[in-house]
Amino acid sequence: MLIHFDSNERVFHLQSKRASYVIQLINSGIPAHVYWGPKLRQQQLGRILQLQERCSFSPNSSPDDMRVSLDTLPQEYPAYGAGDLRHPAYQIQRPDGSTVSEALYVAHRIIDGKPQLEGLPATYVEESGEAQTLEIELLDKLAGLKITLSYSVFRDVDAIARSVRFENVGSEDIKLLRVLSMAVDLEHHDYDLIHLSGTWARERYMERRPLASGVQGVESRRGSSSHQHNPFIALVSKNANEYQGDVYGFSLVYSGGFSAQAEVEPYGTTRVTMGLQPFDFSWLLEPGQSFQTPEAVMVFSAEGLGGMSRNYHKLYRERLCRGEFRDKARPVLVNNWEATYFDFTADKIEQIAQAGSELGIELFVLDDGWFGKRDGDNSSLGDWVVDKRKLPNGLNDLAERVRNMDMEFGLWFEPEMISPNSDLYRQHPDWCLHVEGRRRTEGRQQLILDFSREDVCDAITEQLAAILSSAPITYVKWDMNRNMTEIGSAGRAPERQRETAHRYILGLYRVLERLTTQFPHILFESCSGGGGRFDPGMLYYMPQTWTSDNTDAVSRLKIQYGTSLVYPISTMGAHVSAVPNHQVHRITSLEMRGNVAMSGNFGYELDLTRFTDEEKAIVKEQVAQYKQLRSLVQFGNQYRLLSPFEGNDTAWVIVSEDQTEAVAFYFRVLAEPNAPLKRLRLQGLNPEADYEINGEVYGGDYLMYAGLPVNGLNGDFQSLMWHLKPKA
């Protein structure tokens, strides 16, 4: 049993492999948060919660027990207006205009397995024994609102998946104003806050700062999870590093606007909340209707950031990603974007593909510019018909020419967008997000299709399905290149306009579900100007994401290191591009570019026909080497060794599940004069095993505790790679 209920003490005890989470029902049925941390035995849990009377400015919910104030009580799902003056997890509005709610316990269920969330991506199980789910039912009698708190505990990872379902069981409309997916009140505030922030071409830089009194956190009001902030935060003990210390991770399985914050109150406790962005949101819940929040995945690790990351990696790689490519080694690809941009012909594409085939590359991806009259980024989005000027014999002809070189064929789309200069816009100008009478703000000279509308979703799905059926396409890069403005929907009632942004994401998920189900043989990769929508929600439909439009090897060290805090290597697209790099104009060696890109789903994004014979030899060796390593890289356990956010060196090692094989990467950015001697100490190996590296045998204990020398490198931008094989 993963979940236990003590009816005498009214205590729920949720146990994963190494962690416990405890909830206690107090007084008239308030779910109080009692404990979350290292695993406890099933005894005396009712003694943990401490209650103490505070000053009169902390209102008391029960005159019979002055120790209980909702303003100081650690709670599981706090409401607004009935005594808790901190940020609530939810807020409603009744027809009389009041916004007070108080929902108390009425029942609970313990379910083997994990139910699906209707219309939303979520983690899952394949056998009921992999998880148990606790559903706690609360009721606001006056409002006629039933709230079901869901907690799924996994057997093999220290993670709890939380979500909330609201149901109007009364006779009057209810307006939801704030509906977060989780809340947890921690007993102190002696933590640092870690989050992943940035912008286009500089995504998911790791930031760490101490908690202070008041509210701190991250959010997106951009209509997507965004380049600026990832839907993830962690609270970590002051001494926490990669290998030790308590870490509490929070990750939202959602692709739209979100909020994640920590509030430190005067008595030193910390309230963490995460969920849908409440800014400019409301949802009209009519009698008999329900609303489901996205899922938040909470991870506790007493083994530092590395332990937290490996929990997320295992869960997201094995029980969030789906389909035949979840466990399948990903192909080595070449994408023509930085090679040609919009200026190409079928013959030019064939030349690049031929060069790729000779180097052992397995997949050619045709990027933007193949449809409509798309000679730049100012037209044709929405017109998903082949441009016969560039491809006179169509997609099928080009795909067959590529396939005749023993390569697969992939295609770029940007299905959620519409160009004002397009046939689709001229036919349906009301199909974009807009507010009547307001200007329609363009980004990248395009508007956003209104995916909150079923007719729009159906039309785009049919167009894409026709293209995907017209040629032997085995890969799709799904792009999205702007943020939302003028968020309104034609025909939607005024009282429902603030539902549009969330309904858009629900519509997107329906489209993705239909297409990925209809075309299971296609490997879908998500993209949003690179990493602008790198979130767990997209991974449910597409098992990998284009990590960043910035392909510079040095920049990618921070981007890929920060991304790995939550997301496994199997989800990261990483390519070698030309130098000087197109984003930062830096020149790095082909070897370093290759080693950085081989720390992800490997590929090239340049004109292969321009390589010298020497470069072709290097690339051919890289491709062959990656094919030998890719199952290890994509599905092994990653240990971060040196952080690019802390120094000049970066390193990580990826170890097979059985610890018999590993690959380690070391990167040095700038050369140092007369530098000190250094050694790289690995992690995650079997100390009792022996490993072979280039014909030499080393013990696992030696490699972890003594380490490998990393000296003798000449010049800036240097890298090393070691493949650790089982001793012959």
Side-chain angles (χ1 to χ4, degrees), residues 94-95 139-146 166-174 285-289:
R94 297 181 57 225
L139 181 65
D140 182 331
K141 292 183 179 179
L142 182 62
L145 179 65
K146 182 169 75 172
F166 294 82
E167 185 177 354
N168 187 341
V169 295
S171 58
E172 297 181 323
D173 292 346
I174 299 171
L285 200 62
E286 297 175 346
Q289 292 184 340

Side-chain angles (χ1 to χ4, degrees), residues 19-127:
S20 285
Y21 191 98
V22 182
I23 304 165
Q24 185 172 12
L25 300 172
I26 67 166
N27 288 9
S28 54
I30 304 169
H33 176 73
V34 173
Y35 176 85
W36 184 25
K39 192 170 185 176
L40 300 174
R41 288 185 291 159
Q42 184 67 27
Q43 59 181 10
Q44 302 175 342
L45 300 180
R47 301 182 184 182
I48 298 176
L49 182 64
Q50 298 184 78
L51 300 175
Q52 180 174 326
E53 183 178 351
R54 296 294 187 181
C55 73
S56 61
F57 282 89
S58 292
N60 301 102
S61 59
S62 172
D64 299 326
D65 190 348
M66 300 300 288
R67 301 174 305 155
V68 177
S69 169
L70 296 183
D71 195 34
T72 58
L73 180 72
Q75 296 175 68
E76 282 297 312
Y77 203 67
Y80 172 79
D84 192 333
L85 305 179
R86 297 166 288 180
H87 277 76
Y90 77 99
Q91 183 182 13
I92 66 171
Q93 186 176 44
R94 297 181 57 225
D96 63 5
S98 66
T99 54
V100 175
S101 178
E102 185 171 30
L104 300 175
Y105 168 87
V106 292
H108 75 271
R109 294 172 291 279
I110 297 175
I111 304 165
D112 289 336
K114 183 178 187 292
Q116 291 184 323
L117 298 190
E118 183 179 354
L120 284 164
T123 54
Y124 60 90
V125 296
E126 293 185 342
E127 298 176 0

Side-chain angles (χ1 to χ4, degrees), residues 184-218:
V184 63
D185 289 335
L186 303 176
E187 64 179 352
H188 64 82
H189 70 283
D190 194 21
Y191 300 109
D192 288 344
L193 170 69
I194 291 179
H195 58 100
L196 302 173
S197 296
T199 185
W200 175 81
R202 188 166 43 82
E203 299 94 334
R204 289 172 303 286
Y205 274 30
M206 180 176 164
E207 297 188 13
R208 179 171 180 166
R209 64 179 188 267
L211 285 186
S213 294
V215 177
Q216 46 252 281
V218 295

Side-chain angles (χ1 to χ4, degrees), residues 57 66 165 324 331 507 551 673:
F57 282 89
M66 300 300 288
R165 185 175 180 85
E324 65 179 71
T551 51

Side-chain angles (χ1 to χ4, degrees), residues 556-578:
R556 274 300 188 104
L557 294 176
K558 288 184 176 179
I559 293 169
Q560 290 175 208
Y561 188 100
T563 302
S564 74
L565 207 61
V566 189
Y567 305 101
I569 284 177
S570 63
T571 65
M572 290 188 238
H575 297 171
V576 174
S577 62

Side-chain angles (χ1 to χ4, degrees), residues 98 134 205 208 295 351 417 443 483 521 549 576 710:
S98 66
L134 168 65
Y205 274 30
R208 179 171 180 166
E295 178 174 277
Q351 291 171 13
M417 300 294 147
N483 296 313
H521 66 285
D549 279 349
V576 174
V710 291

